[in-house]
PDB file of all heavy atoms in Angstrom:
ATOM      1  N   LYS A 185     -74.754  27.899   8.486  1.00 98.00           N
ATOM      2  CA  LYS A 185     -75.382  26.667   8.983  1.00 98.00           C
ATOM      3  C   LYS A 185     -75.416  26.811  10.558  1.00 98.00           C
ATOM      4  O   LYS A 185     -74.422  27.200  11.169  1.00 98.00           O
ATOM      5  CB  LYS A 185     -74.526  25.447   8.632  1.00 98.00           C
ATOM      6  CG  LYS A 185     -74.620  25.161   7.202  1.00 98.00           C
ATOM      7  CD  LYS A 185     -73.997  23.805   6.902  1.00 98.00           C
ATOM      8  CE  LYS A 185     -74.199  23.517   5.451  1.00 98.00           C
ATOM      9  NZ  LYS A 185     -74.152  22.086   5.136  1.00 98.00           N
ATOM     10  N   ASP A 186     -76.612  26.478  11.086  1.00 97.00           N
ATOM     11  CA  ASP A 186     -76.808  26.652  12.567  1.00 97.00           C
ATOM     12  C   ASP A 186     -77.272  25.369  13.147  1.00 97.00           C
ATOM     13  O   ASP A 186     -78.271  24.870  12.746  1.00 97.00           O
ATOM     14  CB  ASP A 186     -77.810  27.826  12.786  1.00 97.00           C
ATOM     15  CG  ASP A 186     -77.692  28.420  14.150  1.00 97.00           C
ATOM     16  OD1 ASP A 186     -77.184  27.724  15.072  1.00 97.00           O
ATOM     17  OD2 ASP A 186     -78.078  29.569  14.324  1.00 97.00           O
ATOM     18  N   GLY A 187     -76.570  24.891  14.189  1.00 96.00           N
ATOM     19  CA  GLY A 187     -76.979  23.619  14.800  1.00 96.00           C
ATOM     20  C   GLY A 187     -75.948  22.475  14.572  1.00 96.00           C
ATOM     21  O   GLY A 187     -76.290  21.294  14.819  1.00 96.00           O
ATOM     22  N   THR A 188     -74.799  22.851  13.971  1.00 97.00           N
ATOM     23  CA  THR A 188     -73.803  21.793  13.629  1.00 97.00           C
ATOM     24  C   THR A 188     -73.348  21.057  14.910  1.00 97.00           C
ATOM     25  O   THR A 188     -73.359  19.810  14.926  1.00 97.00           O
ATOM     26  CB  THR A 188     -72.595  22.428  12.987  1.00 97.00           C
ATOM     27  OG1 THR A 188     -73.010  23.156  11.837  1.00 97.00           O
ATOM     28  CG2 THR A 188     -71.529  21.364  12.563  1.00 97.00           C
ATOM     29  N   ARG A 189     -72.973  21.831  15.932  1.00 97.00           N
ATOM     30  CA  ARG A 189     -72.576  21.122  17.164  1.00 97.00           C
ATOM     31  C   ARG A 189     -73.693  21.401  18.205  1.00 97.00           C
ATOM     32  O   ARG A 189     -73.574  22.387  18.962  1.00 97.00           O
ATOM     33  CB  ARG A 189     -71.229  21.623  17.636  1.00 97.00           C
ATOM     34  CG  ARG A 189     -70.106  21.201  16.639  1.00 97.00           C
ATOM     35  CD  ARG A 189     -68.866  20.774  17.423  1.00 97.00           C
ATOM     36  NE  ARG A 189     -68.302  21.880  18.144  1.00 97.00           N
ATOM     37  CZ  ARG A 189     -67.247  21.701  19.017  1.00 97.00           C
ATOM     38  NH1 ARG A 189     -66.704  20.468  19.168  1.00 97.00           N
ATOM     39  NH2 ARG A 189     -66.737  22.754  19.700  1.00 97.00           N
ATOM     40  N   HIS A 278     -67.770  33.617  17.464  1.00 98.00           N
ATOM     41  CA  HIS A 278     -68.871  33.013  18.207  1.00 98.00           C
ATOM     42  C   HIS A 278     -68.592  31.597  18.714  1.00 98.00           C
ATOM     43  O   HIS A 278     -68.872  31.300  19.942  1.00 98.00           O
ATOM     44  CB  HIS A 278     -70.122  33.082  17.313  1.00 98.00           C
ATOM     45  CG  HIS A 278     -71.380  32.610  17.953  1.00 98.00           C
ATOM     46  ND1 HIS A 278     -72.026  33.368  18.950  1.00 98.00           N
ATOM     47  CD2 HIS A 278     -72.148  31.537  17.745  1.00 98.00           C
ATOM     48  CE1 HIS A 278     -73.111  32.724  19.332  1.00 98.00           C
ATOM     49  NE2 HIS A 278     -73.205  31.634  18.627  1.00 98.00           N
ATOM     50  N   ARG A 294     -79.929  23.831  21.806  1.00 98.00           N
ATOM     51  CA  ARG A 294     -80.471  25.055  21.035  1.00 98.00           C
ATOM     52  C   ARG A 294     -81.585  24.529  20.112  1.00 98.00           C
ATOM     53  O   ARG A 294     -81.344  23.483  19.451  1.00 98.00           O
ATOM     54  CB  ARG A 294     -79.442  25.723  20.282  1.00 98.00           C
ATOM     55  CG  ARG A 294     -78.329  26.477  21.115  1.00 98.00           C
ATOM     56  CD  ARG A 294     -77.113  26.903  20.356  1.00 98.00           C
ATOM     57  NE  ARG A 294     -76.296  25.858  19.901  1.00 98.00           N
ATOM     58  CZ  ARG A 294     -75.801  25.730  18.642  1.00 98.00           C
ATOM     59  NH1 ARG A 294     -75.994  26.681  17.764  1.00 98.00           N
ATOM     60  NH2 ARG A 294     -75.072  24.717  18.345  1.00 98.00           N
ATOM     61  N   PHE A 315     -84.193  32.620  19.573  1.00 98.00           N
ATOM     62  CA  PHE A 315     -83.336  31.672  20.239  1.00 98.00           C
ATOM     63  C   PHE A 315     -84.013  30.934  21.358  1.00 98.00           C
ATOM     64  O   PHE A 315     -84.562  31.624  22.248  1.00 98.00           O
ATOM     65  CB  PHE A 315     -82.052  32.393  20.772  1.00 98.00           C
ATOM     66  CG  PHE A 315     -81.099  31.558  21.562  1.00 98.00           C
ATOM     67  CD1 PHE A 315     -80.035  30.975  20.946  1.00 98.00           C
ATOM     68  CD2 PHE A 315     -81.287  31.434  22.977  1.00 98.00           C
ATOM     69  CE1 PHE A 315     -79.121  30.195  21.728  1.00 98.00           C
ATOM     70  CE2 PHE A 315     -80.399  30.675  23.720  1.00 98.00           C
ATOM     71  CZ  PHE A 315     -79.370  29.990  23.053  1.00 98.00           C
ATOM     72  N   GLN A 329     -73.868  33.095  27.966  1.00 98.00           N
ATOM     73  CA  GLN A 329     -74.251  34.419  27.423  1.00 98.00           C
ATOM     74  C   GLN A 329     -73.441  35.530  28.106  1.00 98.00           C
ATOM     75  O   GLN A 329     -73.219  36.616  27.532  1.00 98.00           O
ATOM     76  CB  GLN A 329     -75.790  34.662  27.674  1.00 98.00           C
ATOM     77  CG  GLN A 329     -76.324  35.932  26.986  1.00 98.00           C
ATOM     78  CD  GLN A 329     -75.930  36.082  25.562  1.00 98.00           C
ATOM     79  OE1 GLN A 329     -75.802  35.122  24.785  1.00 98.00           O
ATOM     80  NE2 GLN A 329     -75.638  37.318  25.157  1.00 98.00           N
TER      81      GLN A 329
HETATM   82  C1  LIG B 401     -72.803  27.793  17.584  1.00 57.52           C
HETATM   83  C2  LIG B 401     -75.431  31.242  15.279  1.00 57.52           C
HETATM   84  C3  LIG B 401     -76.757  33.071  19.544  1.00 57.52           C
HETATM   85  C4  LIG B 401     -74.696  29.277  21.773  1.00 57.52           C
HETATM   86  C5  LIG B 401     -73.400  28.608  16.576  1.00 57.52           C
HETATM   87  C6  LIG B 401     -73.093  28.516  15.173  1.00 57.52           C
HETATM   88  C7  LIG B 401     -73.779  29.436  14.545  1.00 57.52           C
HETATM   89  C8  LIG B 401     -74.526  30.192  15.556  1.00 57.52           C
HETATM   90  C9  LIG B 401     -73.892  29.756  13.035  1.00 57.52           C
HETATM   91  C10 LIG B 401     -72.102  27.536  14.537  1.00 57.52           C
HETATM   92  C11 LIG B 401     -72.753  26.237  14.070  1.00 57.52           C
HETATM   93  C12 LIG B 401     -73.144  25.367  15.230  1.00 57.52           C
HETATM   94  O1  LIG B 401     -72.344  24.626  15.836  1.00 57.52           O
HETATM   95  O2  LIG B 401     -74.390  25.346  15.479  1.00 57.52           O
HETATM   96  C13 LIG B 401     -75.987  32.009  16.280  1.00 57.52           C
HETATM   97  C14 LIG B 401     -76.741  33.261  16.056  1.00 57.52           C
HETATM   98  C15 LIG B 401     -77.082  33.725  17.213  1.00 57.52           C
HETATM   99  C16 LIG B 401     -76.655  32.904  18.262  1.00 57.52           C
HETATM  100  C17 LIG B 401     -77.106  33.750  14.662  1.00 57.52           C
HETATM  101  C18 LIG B 401     -77.906  35.018  17.544  1.00 57.52           C
HETATM  102  C19 LIG B 401     -78.581  35.735  16.661  1.00 57.52           C
HETATM  103  C20 LIG B 401     -76.306  32.279  20.588  1.00 57.52           C
HETATM  104  C21 LIG B 401     -76.592  32.372  21.973  1.00 57.52           C
HETATM  105  C22 LIG B 401     -75.980  31.292  22.553  1.00 57.52           C
HETATM  106  C23 LIG B 401     -75.358  30.447  21.542  1.00 57.52           C
HETATM  107  C24 LIG B 401     -77.385  33.471  22.602  1.00 57.52           C
HETATM  108  C25 LIG B 401     -76.006  30.927  24.063  1.00 57.52           C
HETATM  109  C26 LIG B 401     -75.967  31.737  25.002  1.00 57.52           C
HETATM  110  C27 LIG B 401     -74.063  28.560  20.800  1.00 57.52           C
HETATM  111  C28 LIG B 401     -73.300  27.297  21.132  1.00 57.52           C
HETATM  112  C29 LIG B 401     -72.793  26.928  19.876  1.00 57.52           C
HETATM  113  C30 LIG B 401     -73.158  27.905  18.915  1.00 57.52           C
HETATM  114  C31 LIG B 401     -73.232  26.615  22.403  1.00 57.52           C
HETATM  115  C32 LIG B 401     -71.911  25.664  19.616  1.00 57.52           C
HETATM  116  C33 LIG B 401     -70.463  26.080  19.714  1.00 57.52           C
HETATM  117  C34 LIG B 401     -69.510  24.894  19.464  1.00 57.52           C
HETATM  118  O3  LIG B 401     -69.608  23.945  20.311  1.00 57.52           O
HETATM  119  O4  LIG B 401     -68.860  24.909  18.468  1.00 57.52           O
HETATM  120  N1  LIG B 401     -74.304  29.668  16.792  1.00 57.52           N
HETATM  121  N2  LIG B 401     -75.891  31.846  17.634  1.00 57.52           N
HETATM  122  N3  LIG B 401     -75.590  31.095  20.384  1.00 57.52           N
HETATM  123  N4  LIG B 401     -73.945  28.880  19.480  1.00 57.52           N
HETATM  124 FE1  LIG B 401     -74.859  30.391  18.584  1.00 57.52          FE
END
Side-chain angles (χ1 to χ4, degrees):
K185 291 192 177 204
D186 203 335
T188 302
R189 292 222 297 173
H278 183 69
R294 291 170 290 137
F315 173 93
Q329 188 51 34

